[in-house]
Amino acid sequence: AVEQSMLDTLQKEIQETLEGDSELQEKQKTSKRILITIKGMARRLQLLGEVNSFGSFSNGFMTGSSDLDVVFRGDVGSDNAISLLGKFAAMVPDCGFKNVTTIFQATVPLVKFTDTRSGMEVDFCINN
């Protein structure tokens, strides 16, 4: 016969795994919603190209503290990336995000912001 303590431990491990899967699914839903929102913002800026995630969300290595890394790849027209990121940053608060920070002096200039609904942090760059 199997000891009750072993069964209790197994039940606890199964429950923790299921809860972890549920959290993962919720983060994936949130990342999809954020990507759709950013795609809409890119259209409003009349950008021709694609918006995609990269990093831990796209390679399956995300953790509870992972941020969502997003890149626009495409034609930015006569605007340079920093000018475009500035326009993008100005739109962010009206699209359900907060805590907007522009980092233009980095090797890869980007805009950091937080999804108001989920608290998920997002890093957005252009043509990286």
Side-chain angles (χ1 to χ4, degrees):
V2 178
E3 291 181 34
Q4 185 61 41
S5 64
M6 290 178 73
L7 289 173
D8 291 345
T9 300
L10 180 59
Q11 180 63 35
K12 181 180 176 201
E13 289 172 353
I14 290 170
Q15 188 64 35
E16 287 172 356
T17 299
L18 292 175
E19 288 171 3
D21 287 349
S22 174
E23 277 182 43
L24 179 66
Q25 288 174 348
E26 195 58 40
K27 285 185 177 292
Q28 288 171 333
K29 284 182 193 174
T30 297
S31 70
K32 285 181 183 176
R33 177 179 52 77
I34 292 170
L35 279 172
I36 291 168
T37 303
I38 293 173
K39 287 177 184 181
M41 295 167 69
R43 278 193 301 276
R44 283 178 41 196
L45 289 171
Q46 300 177 345
L47 299 178
L48 301 174
E50 292 185 346
V51 173
N52 295 303
S53 64
F54 66 98
S56 61
F57 265 87
S58 60
N59 66 23
F61 289 112
M62 75 174 136
T63 66
S65 61
S66 292
D67 64 355
L68 178 62
D69 298 307
V70 180
V71 61
F72 170 81
R73 289 192 180 100
D75 182 11
V76 295
S78 61
D79 282 331
N80 67 31
I82 291 176
S83 169
L84 211 47
L85 285 170
K87 292 175 184 178
F88 182 87
M91 294 173 66
V92 167
D94 295 329
C95 296
F97 304 105
K98 61 184 181 181
N99 303 330
V100 183
T101 304
T102 55
I103 304 173
F104 294 161
Q105 291 74 32
T107 305
V108 178
L110 59 96
V111 178
K112 295 177 83 65
F113 49 93
T114 305
D115 178 54
T116 304
R117 280 174 48 185
S118 68
M120 184 179 291
E121 293 185 1
V122 181
D123 290 351
F124 178 76
C125 63
I126 294 179
N127 286 331
N128 178 23

